[in-house]
Amino acid sequence: MSLSLETAVAYVPRAARPCHFEPDILEFNQGVLAPYGMRFDPSYAAGGSNTTFLELAEGVLREAPGPLPAPDLLIVAYALPDPHAPEKTLAAHLTRVFDGRPLSFAVSEQGLGAPFTALRIADAYLRSGRCRSVVLLILEQTSFPYPEPFVQDGDLVDSAVLLALGPAGGWELAGVGSSGPHCDLAALLDKPPGLPGDERPGDRLVVTGSWGDSLDLGPAGPKAHQAPPGSYCTGVWLEFARHHEEWRDAYRTIVFGDVDPRTGAGHVATFTRRERAVADENRRGGHP
């Protein structure tokens, strides 16, 4: 059995709130920044939305179509930190939404690779028999009380994605991979992990982030879809949440690939349409 996508939600808040930092949050941030010669300056965040991770998580959970069943595993993945509420362990706090049942933790410090790593961890938990269902929250907040040119010059916006994975969804996680710096994205996407061996032209859709040039895969190659600008680690996953149902009717396989503009590291994840994946598994097992 593999994890399959049961629910996907994209959330981009439109509202902003005034920039305000409690004294203890201000003191914490000053202590973190001082060793790097940086100064805490709320004026940098004054023009931002100042949406916290907690608000993003609660917002995307509210947008879910009906109550979510309690998962066995809850993972929060992010690339950019939240300086507004560093004292709260968000993943543990969110277990209250599911009556304290899930094992929970966060994946960070990996740039846009964090969601890919979270999927790899979730798959490992499934294969070890320690879980059957996962909720993955991918969060991106963009207001910082110090210079953060990558965010501020890149016009990034707050966003969140919820991926609920279990045994009965429409897209099955087939493989996750990564490469080191100076990644050749086209080469990484050419033979991604989990790709069906009997793929036909037109079976595959390749979804890439907004940081590189759009890929020219040739008239006989896979179809390509590039995420629009405005996101760092959420880009391809926002597109998955928005389009997974229409893509299920058109493609057998979706390959998500992205290269981190800060490190050059590449990441890839393959999802296969579940009904075809089940048929392939039955054939391998000798079933009709």
Side-chain angles (χ1 to χ4, degrees), residues 191-211:
K191 295 181 179 179
L195 191 69
D198 59 343
E199 186 182 67
R200 298 167 299 178
D203 278 352
R204 190 192 330 172
L205 174 69
V206 170
V207 182
T208 58
S210 63
W211 298 104

mmCIF file of all heavy atoms in Angstrom, residues 191-211:
data_model
loop_
_atom_site.group_PDB
_atom_site.id
_atom_site.type_symbol
_atom_site.label_atom_id
_atom_site.label_comp_id
_atom_site.label_asym_id
_atom_site.label_seq_id
_atom_site.Cartn_x
_atom_site.Cartn_y
_atom_site.Cartn_z
ATOM 1 N N LYS A 191 13.937 10.982 -15.581
ATOM 2 C CA LYS A 191 13.745 9.656 -15.010
ATOM 3 C C LYS A 191 13.552 9.768 -13.501
ATOM 4 O O LYS A 191 14.416 9.379 -12.712
ATOM 5 C CB LYS A 191 14.927 8.753 -15.340
ATOM 6 C CG LYS A 191 15.073 8.460 -16.827
ATOM 7 C CD LYS A 191 16.242 7.528 -17.107
ATOM 8 C CE LYS A 191 16.356 7.238 -18.602
ATOM 9 N NZ LYS A 191 17.517 6.347 -18.900
ATOM 10 N N PRO A 192 12.416 10.289 -13.089
ATOM 11 C CA PRO A 192 12.169 10.471 -11.654
ATOM 12 C C PRO A 192 11.870 9.144 -10.970
ATOM 13 O O PRO A 192 11.466 8.170 -11.628
ATOM 14 C CB PRO A 192 10.937 11.381 -11.629
ATOM 15 C CG PRO A 192 10.213 11.041 -12.889
ATOM 16 C CD PRO A 192 11.284 10.753 -13.898
ATOM 17 N N PRO A 193 12.048 9.054 -9.657
ATOM 18 C CA PRO A 193 11.733 7.808 -8.948
ATOM 19 C C PRO A 193 10.245 7.496 -9.022
ATOM 20 O O PRO A 193 9.402 8.388 -8.953
ATOM 21 C CB PRO A 193 12.163 8.112 -7.501
ATOM 22 C CG PRO A 193 12.155 9.601 -7.399
ATOM 23 C CD PRO A 193 12.534 10.112 -8.742
ATOM 24 N N GLY A 194 9.926 6.223 -9.202
ATOM 25 C CA GLY A 194 8.534 5.793 -9.221
ATOM 26 C C GLY A 194 7.835 5.923 -10.552
ATOM 27 O O GLY A 194 6.625 5.688 -10.649
ATOM 28 N N LEU A 195 8.556 6.280 -11.605
ATOM 29 C CA LEU A 195 7.921 6.449 -12.915
ATOM 30 C C LEU A 195 7.511 5.088 -13.476
ATOM 31 O O LEU A 195 8.296 4.144 -13.471
ATOM 32 C CB LEU A 195 8.897 7.121 -13.873
ATOM 33 C CG LEU A 195 8.318 7.620 -15.199
ATOM 34 C CD1 LEU A 195 7.392 8.796 -14.959
ATOM 35 C CD2 LEU A 195 9.455 8.013 -16.142
ATOM 36 N N PRO A 196 6.269 4.943 -13.952
ATOM 37 C CA PRO A 196 5.850 3.658 -14.530
ATOM 38 C C PRO A 196 6.729 3.264 -15.711
ATOM 39 O O PRO A 196 7.116 4.105 -16.527
ATOM 40 C CB PRO A 196 4.406 3.928 -14.979
ATOM 41 C CG PRO A 196 3.950 5.088 -14.151
ATOM 42 C CD PRO A 196 5.164 5.924 -13.916
ATOM 43 N N GLY A 197 7.033 1.980 -15.810
ATOM 44 C CA GLY A 197 7.923 1.514 -16.861
ATOM 45 C C GLY A 197 7.296 1.467 -18.234
ATOM 46 O O GLY A 197 8.013 1.427 -19.238
ATOM 47 N N ASP A 198 5.968 1.460 -18.304
ATOM 48 C CA ASP A 198 5.301 1.349 -19.606
ATOM 49 C C ASP A 198 4.606 2.654 -19.989
ATOM 50 O O ASP A 198 3.557 2.657 -20.617
ATOM 51 C CB ASP A 198 4.288 0.204 -19.590
ATOM 52 C CG ASP A 198 3.212 0.399 -18.518
ATOM 53 O OD1 ASP A 198 3.420 1.226 -17.595
ATOM 54 O OD2 ASP A 198 2.171 -0.277 -18.597
ATOM 55 N N GLU A 199 5.216 3.755 -19.610
ATOM 56 C CA GLU A 199 4.618 5.057 -19.880
ATOM 57 C C GLU A 199 4.521 5.319 -21.380
ATOM 58 O O GLU A 199 5.433 4.989 -22.149
ATOM 59 C CB GLU A 199 5.446 6.149 -19.219
ATOM 60 C CG GLU A 199 4.822 7.531 -19.322
ATOM 61 C CD GLU A 199 5.698 8.598 -18.691
ATOM 62 O OE1 GLU A 199 6.792 8.839 -19.238
ATOM 63 O OE2 GLU A 199 5.309 9.162 -17.663
ATOM 64 N N ARG A 200 3.433 5.946 -21.775
ATOM 65 C CA ARG A 200 3.222 6.308 -23.172
ATOM 66 C C ARG A 200 3.289 7.831 -23.332
ATOM 67 O O ARG A 200 3.095 8.562 -22.351
ATOM 68 C CB ARG A 200 1.851 5.815 -23.644
ATOM 69 C CG ARG A 200 1.692 4.302 -23.604
ATOM 70 C CD ARG A 200 0.238 3.923 -23.776
ATOM 71 N NE ARG A 200 -0.582 4.483 -22.701
ATOM 72 C CZ ARG A 200 -1.902 4.336 -22.615
ATOM 73 N NH1 ARG A 200 -2.547 3.661 -23.558
ATOM 74 N NH2 ARG A 200 -2.569 4.854 -21.607
ATOM 75 N N PRO A 201 3.561 8.338 -24.544
ATOM 76 C CA PRO A 201 3.560 9.786 -24.746
ATOM 77 C C PRO A 201 2.225 10.394 -24.309
ATOM 78 O O PRO A 201 1.162 9.869 -24.618
ATOM 79 C CB PRO A 201 3.759 9.932 -26.265
ATOM 80 C CG PRO A 201 4.464 8.677 -26.662
ATOM 81 C CD PRO A 201 3.924 7.598 -25.761
ATOM 82 N N GLY A 202 2.306 11.460 -23.585
ATOM 83 C CA GLY A 202 1.102 12.132 -23.106
ATOM 84 C C GLY A 202 0.606 11.657 -21.767
ATOM 85 O O GLY A 202 -0.318 12.247 -21.215
ATOM 86 N N ASP A 203 1.203 10.582 -21.225
ATOM 87 C CA ASP A 203 0.763 10.071 -19.924
ATOM 88 C C ASP A 203 1.174 10.984 -18.769
ATOM 89 O O ASP A 203 0.521 11.009 -17.734
ATOM 90 C CB ASP A 203 1.365 8.688 -19.652
ATOM 91 C CG ASP A 203 0.594 7.564 -20.323
ATOM 92 O OD1 ASP A 203 -0.498 7.839 -20.866
ATOM 93 O OD2 ASP A 203 1.075 6.422 -20.306
ATOM 94 N N ARG A 204 2.288 11.699 -18.962
ATOM 95 C CA ARG A 204 2.916 12.402 -17.841
ATOM 96 C C ARG A 204 2.738 13.912 -17.930
ATOM 97 O O ARG A 204 2.855 14.510 -18.984
ATOM 98 C CB ARG A 204 4.409 12.077 -17.808
ATOM 99 C CG ARG A 204 5.113 12.554 -16.546
ATOM 100 C CD ARG A 204 6.644 12.509 -16.620
ATOM 101 N NE ARG A 204 7.196 11.484 -17.471
ATOM 102 C CZ ARG A 204 8.497 11.412 -17.766
ATOM 103 N NH1 ARG A 204 9.346 12.300 -17.261
ATOM 104 N NH2 ARG A 204 8.943 10.457 -18.567
ATOM 105 N N LEU A 205 2.494 14.529 -16.764
ATOM 106 C CA LEU A 205 2.527 15.979 -16.618
ATOM 107 C C LEU A 205 3.683 16.327 -15.692
ATOM 108 O O LEU A 205 3.814 15.740 -14.617
ATOM 109 C CB LEU A 205 1.218 16.511 -16.035
ATOM 110 C CG LEU A 205 1.191 18.007 -15.701
ATOM 111 C CD1 LEU A 205 1.237 18.847 -16.982
ATOM 112 C CD2 LEU A 205 -0.054 18.364 -14.876
ATOM 113 N N VAL A 206 4.503 17.276 -16.092
ATOM 114 C CA VAL A 206 5.608 17.752 -15.268
ATOM 115 C C VAL A 206 5.243 19.133 -14.734
ATOM 116 O O VAL A 206 4.921 20.043 -15.507
ATOM 117 C CB VAL A 206 6.915 17.819 -16.084
ATOM 118 C CG1 VAL A 206 8.009 18.533 -15.303
ATOM 119 C CG2 VAL A 206 7.366 16.416 -16.471
ATOM 120 N N VAL A 207 5.274 19.293 -13.422
ATOM 121 C CA VAL A 207 4.926 20.558 -12.765
ATOM 122 C C VAL A 207 6.186 21.104 -12.098
ATOM 123 O O VAL A 207 6.787 20.434 -11.255
ATOM 124 C CB VAL A 207 3.816 20.368 -11.723
ATOM 125 C CG1 VAL A 207 3.445 21.708 -11.089
ATOM 126 C CG2 VAL A 207 2.586 19.730 -12.364
ATOM 127 N N THR A 208 6.582 22.309 -12.481
ATOM 128 C CA THR A 208 7.800 22.909 -11.946
ATOM 129 C C THR A 208 7.491 24.228 -11.248
ATOM 130 O O THR A 208 6.444 24.836 -11.455
ATOM 131 C CB THR A 208 8.825 23.160 -13.063
ATOM 132 O OG1 THR A 208 8.245 24.011 -14.061
ATOM 133 C CG2 THR A 208 9.249 21.851 -13.713
ATOM 134 N N GLY A 209 8.452 24.670 -10.418
ATOM 135 C CA GLY A 209 8.314 25.939 -9.730
ATOM 136 C C GLY A 209 8.585 27.119 -10.653
ATOM 137 O O GLY A 209 8.907 26.963 -11.839
ATOM 138 N N SER A 210 8.483 28.311 -10.087
ATOM 139 C CA SER A 210 8.563 29.530 -10.895
ATOM 140 C C SER A 210 9.968 30.084 -11.028
ATOM 141 O O SER A 210 10.173 31.071 -11.743
ATOM 142 C CB SER A 210 7.673 30.610 -10.261
ATOM 143 O OG SER A 210 8.155 30.945 -8.960
ATOM 144 N N TRP A 211 10.960 29.460 -10.387
ATOM 145 C CA TRP A 211 12.276 30.095 -10.294
ATOM 146 C C TRP A 211 13.108 29.953 -11.560
ATOM 147 O O TRP A 211 13.903 30.830 -11.883
ATOM 148 C CB TRP A 211 13.029 29.523 -9.094
ATOM 149 C CG TRP A 211 12.296 29.817 -7.838
ATOM 150 C CD1 TRP A 211 11.542 28.958 -7.088
ATOM 151 C CD2 TRP A 211 12.179 31.083 -7.204
ATOM 152 N NE1 TRP A 211 10.969 29.609 -6.025
ATOM 153 C CE2 TRP A 211 11.346 30.922 -6.074
ATOM 154 C CE3 TRP A 211 12.700 32.347 -7.467
ATOM 155 C CZ2 TRP A 211 11.031 31.969 -5.220
ATOM 156 C CZ3 TRP A 211 12.384 33.394 -6.625
ATOM 157 C CH2 TRP A 211 11.562 33.197 -5.510
#
